[in-house]
Structure formats: structure tokens, C-alpha cells
Amino acid sequence: MIIETNGWEETFELGRELGQKAQPGDVYTLIGDLGVGKTVLTQGIAKGLGITEPVNSPTFTIVQEYEEGRLPFYHFDVYRIGDVEEMDEVGYEDYVYGDGLTMIEWANLIEEILPDKRKEIRIEKDLDKGFDYRRITITEYE
């Protein structure tokens, strides 16, 4: 599925819809360059789960947990990870195979340990279509 957004509000709203549809044990992987709107989409997902506290990229902690929504929300940012073995140290499998929604930013960096069943969300800019334009491709893997 391909969705085009024009502005952070539309990207946020798409995230909110994804959060509302999330089921226990879902894994969303998020791929995109710096500044494409990964955090905005993630904030929308959190809103769709009913989370009211501020959601930011957990760049220096690898994972941030949010428990107040209708599902636990586990937000990974693996941009700074040096080796996939580091994921064991943070209890990666407990999150991914748990009962919450797991979101993994920069998932392409740990592709070899991603679960087979996941929803990949790829965000891309196209400056020819405007500064605020985003092409968001959602692919479901079973």
C-alpha cells in the first residue's frame, strides 16, 4: 500500500490510524532517511494507542517503553547500534515477541533479526513534489 502525505499533520494522522488498528504482538519496522518524518509518524501511532505522554526518538537509550495506552508501546531506535548482538542486551526478543506494539526505527540496520511477521513502513521524500511531500509505503510480511 502506498500513501502520499503533504505535511506533518497528514503523516501524524496516518500514524494515529495505524496505532488504532494495532494488535497485541504487532511489529512495525520504520525505514527512512533523517528528517523524513519517522518521529512524527511514531507520535501519531502513540496517539492512536491512547498514549498522552511526549514521544521522542530514544536515540541514546535504544528502547523507550510506554505503558499507559491500550497496548504497551515499545519504541526502538537502532540508528546507533554497532552490532545486532547488542539487541540481546536490551531484551529485544522479549519486546518483539511480547504482547505490545513494537516499533523499530532504522530497522534495515538489524534486518537479519527482524521477525518474519511484521509491517514495514518506508518513508521517502520527493522534493520535486514539494518540501512537505512524503511517500509512505506499507508492506506486510507474514
Side-chain angles (χ1 to χ4, degrees):
M1 169 174 32
I2 297 174
I3 296 133
E4 297 178 314
T5 64
N6 291 288
W8 71 267
E9 299 92 343
E10 291 179 18
T11 301
F12 182 91
E13 180 60 24
L14 173 62
R16 190 183 65 73
E17 291 171 13
L18 289 169
Q20 288 176 332
K21 294 175 183 174
Q23 298 298 311
D26 279 354
V27 175
Y28 293 175
T29 60
L30 191 50
I31 300 168
D33 292 334
L34 289 169
V36 295
K38 294 185 301 292
T39 300
V40 169
L41 185 81
T42 301
Q43 290 168 336
I45 288 170
K47 181 74 169 179
L49 289 170
I51 296 167
T52 59
E53 67 182 283
V55 173
N56 295 303
S57 251
T59 302
F60 297 103
T61 58
I62 299 180
V63 65
Q64 192 77 279
E65 297 180 38
Y66 302 92
E67 300 285 342
E68 72 169 303
R70 68 175 181 82
L71 295 175
F73 184 41
Y74 311 122
H75 181 199
F76 282 84
D77 183 328
V78 298
Y79 183 72
R80 297 191 190 288
I81 187 168
D83 190 305
V84 293
E85 292 172 5
E86 289 179 46
M87 298 303 288
D88 287 337
E89 296 171 18
V90 296
Y92 171 77
E93 288 193 0
D94 293 334
Y95 293 107
V96 169
Y97 298 107
D99 60 357
L101 170 61
T102 302
M103 165 68 82
I104 306 169
E105 288 191 45
W106 299 99
N108 52 307
L109 300 177
I110 61 166
E111 195 163 350
E112 61 267 31
I113 63 169
L114 293 176
D116 292 335
K117 185 177 193 274
R118 66 184 185 275
K119 188 174 291 193
E120 179 185 281
I121 304 166
R122 185 175 298 270
I123 305 176
E124 299 167 296
K125 288 184 184 181
D126 184 344
L127 294 178
D128 290 339
K129 294 187 177 185
F131 181 76
D132 293 327
Y133 173 85
R134 299 295 184 267
R135 179 180 183 187
I136 302 169
T137 306
I138 301 174
T139 306
E140 295 209 34
Y141 293 94
E142 293 296 327

